[in-house]
Amino acid sequence: MPIRYLLRLLVVVQLVFLAGCDETPTGRSQLALVPHNMMAQMGEDAFEQLINNQPISRDTAVNGLVQCVAQQVVAAAEASYPDLDFPEAWEVVVFEEPSPNAFALPGGRIGVHSGLLDVAETPAQLAAVIGHEVSHVLADHGNERLTQQLGIKAVLMLVGLMGEGDMGHQQLMQALGIGAQLGISLPFSRTHEEEADLMGLAIMARAGFDPQHSVVLWRNMAAAGSGQPPEFLSTHPAHASRINALQQGLEEATAIYQTVTPADC
């Protein structure tokens, strides 16, 4: 094997070793090898594609509510995790889409489906969803999943042996958590969902939204859905399990909520 490839292999091994020491904001060990600036560019490109292909809501009241809640949640996220690098600004768009969904992308993009407002009946319930989605970004879940999907290819990309074009457009969209918006079904893992739930619960509380509304939201989600597969067949927690986990985190989140001024959205 040529010496230059041996040297590159050594770099790869070192990167894998160092990356294995990374932790999410909750302290969970994480392997996430894609450079953050590349993740941000992927998020920007994916969001631009959605804007170009999906109708955008022009409802003034809905946009005002979503912008207000998102601003409060992002400010609380920054206060909760001051050591993390945050985008200078977040772009928030409401898409005309009946499914009750939302997403956040690396680089500071938040998308909310208009249909979510039929299920999230209060600003606090909306904050629970946006806090959850922003938490996926803060915990670098898209990066972690992209690393898992691509394996050594993602590491080789870091040392310049291949470019973004070799990864595959669908894989990028799946890893960023917006596959459902583009007809690609691949949700975040159960571990990611549970981590984002608990991070989002604390963030919404710090933003001034009553964390009790997170439980109400998921009860609404359960009532609005047509049923889920058994939990052992799904990467998402079952609604009952999710509600139970949120209830266990309510005491700590409520203590945070009691120290801040209630949000006015």
Side-chain angles (χ1 to χ4, degrees):
M1 180 182 292
I3 187 65
R4 66 179 182 275
Y5 290 109
L6 287 174
L7 291 173
R8 287 172 175 174
L9 181 60
L10 287 174
V11 172
V12 167
V13 172
Q14 290 176 330
L15 284 170
V16 171
F17 176 78
L18 292 173
C21 298
D22 287 347
E23 291 185 347
T24 67
T26 67
R28 178 177 62 83
S29 296
Q30 178 185 63
L31 185 67
L33 300 178
V34 183
H36 287 172
N37 62 338
M38 183 172 288
M39 291 300 300
Q41 185 61 55
M42 292 177 194
E44 179 182 344
D45 293 344
F47 203 61
E48 182 177 354
Q49 179 184 350
L50 289 171
I51 289 174
N52 290 335
N53 291 282
Q54 300 283 345
I56 295 174
S57 173
R58 303 301 177 187
D59 187 311
T60 302
V62 168
N63 276 280
L65 173 62
V66 171
Q67 292 288 342
C68 179
V69 171
Q71 289 171 9
Q72 299 280 351
V73 167
V74 167
E78 292 177 348
S80 299
Y81 301 102
D83 294 334
L84 297 182
D85 292 329
F86 281 82
E88 292 183 6
W90 289 69
E91 183 179 2
V92 183
V93 173
V94 180
F95 294 94
E96 280 291 354
E97 164 60 47
S99 61
N101 202 1
F103 58 91
L105 301 177
R109 275 83 184 175
I110 296 172
V112 173
H113 290 185
S114 57
L116 179 61
L117 280 300
D118 296 328
V119 178
E121 298 172 341
T122 66
Q125 291 177 33
L126 178 59
V129 179
I130 295 178
H132 172 97
E133 298 302 332
V134 167
S135 295
H136 277 309
V137 175
L138 300 186
D140 221 7
H141 288 160
N143 192 338
E144 183 177 8
R145 184 163 57 173
L146 187 57
T147 300
Q148 292 169 351
Q149 284 182 350
L150 303 178
I152 196 66
K153 289 173 66 177
V155 183
L156 295 176
M157 176 182 64
L158 292 180
V159 292
L161 296 185
M162 61 177 57
E164 179 181 337
D166 292 305
M167 290 187 289
H169 181 68
Q170 284 198 349
Q171 287 177 303
L172 297 181
M173 294 303 179
Q174 290 168 348
L176 291 172
I178 58 173
Q181 281 71 37
L182 300 171
I184 307 166
S185 179
L186 184 62
F188 279 115
S189 73
R190 189 181 304 178
T191 297
H192 291 165
E193 289 294 324
E194 292 171 349
E195 189 167 43
D197 274 346
L198 294 180
M199 288 176 62
L201 191 66
I203 288 172
M204 71 174 291
R206 191 174 299 279
F209 296 99
D210 186 348
Q212 298 278 351
H213 283 250
S214 65
V215 174
V216 180
L217 166 76
W218 284 106
R219 286 176 178 157
N220 291 350
M221 286 286 196
S226 57
Q228 286 182 303
E231 184 168 5
F232 67 90
L233 295 178
S234 173
T235 56
H236 276 69
H239 291 310
S241 297
R242 177 169 244 149
I243 290 170
N244 182 60
L246 288 169
Q247 287 174 326
Q248 292 180 25
L250 278 179
E251 182 177 355
E252 183 176 347
T254 300
I256 295 172
Y257 175 64
Q258 292 173 342
T259 68
V260 302
T261 302
D264 183 19
C265 287

